[in-house]
Amino acid sequence: MNFSKATITGMNGKQFTEYLTPFKDDVGDNVTFVYDTDIKAYTDDAYCMFELTNAGISDDYQHRIMQKVADKYGCKFSDDELLSNESTALLQAMLAVYAWIKLKEME
């Protein structure tokens, strides 16, 4: 898939390639993810964990959700980040987390 991309500089001065998708997250913003050249992987940059925290989900439950989603979609979950060598696998995992949050809000 071709997404808009830009080079961004993190707080530590490290540069990443950020991808902007047309898909929406749980708060209606466009889903973004980055490619980290140091680890040679796509990552959500811990944004899904941030959203789970904002949704009031306990830490232990957050980690269980993230590990289950990572396993389901062929990603890794490490240091609060979803990681994948495939952008589409990462995106699918991120969208699953956002959908889970929205469904949880409906309870």
Side-chain angles (χ1 to χ4, degrees):
M1 299 181 104
N2 291 326
F3 301 119
S4 299
K5 63 182 179 177
T7 301
I8 59 170
T9 303
M11 292 174 56
N12 61 358
K14 183 176 168 181
Q15 290 194 329
F16 299 90
T17 301
E18 179 182 55
Y19 294 86
L20 176 66
T21 77
F23 304 106
K24 302 298 181 187
D25 65 12
D26 59 302
V27 296
D29 293 334
N30 288 75
V31 173
T32 62
F33 60 92
V34 299
Y35 184 76
D36 185 330
T37 55
D38 286 350
I39 61 172
K40 296 181 177 35
Y42 295 96
T43 172
D44 74 332
D45 202 25
Y47 193 72
C48 288
M49 283 291 287
F50 175 78
E51 288 301 313
L52 287 168
T53 299
N54 283 347
I57 308 304
S58 69
D59 287 348
D60 181 55
Y61 197 27
Q62 288 177 28
H63 285 88
R64 290 193 341 241
I65 293 165
M66 294 295 286
Q67 189 61 62
K68 185 168 274 215
V69 167
D71 292 346
K72 173 72 177 168
Y73 296 106
C75 297
K76 292 181 184 175
F77 176 59
S78 177
D79 295 326
D80 291 346
E81 292 182 271
L82 284 170
L83 304 158
S84 179
N85 293 327
E86 299 291 328
S87 62
T88 52
L90 176 70
L91 182 57
Q92 188 171 21
M94 291 174 69
L95 291 172
V97 172
Y98 300 141
W100 185 90
I101 293 169
K102 288 308 286 180
L103 291 170
K104 188 74 174 159
E105 289 174 355
M106 295 171 60
E107 290 182 346

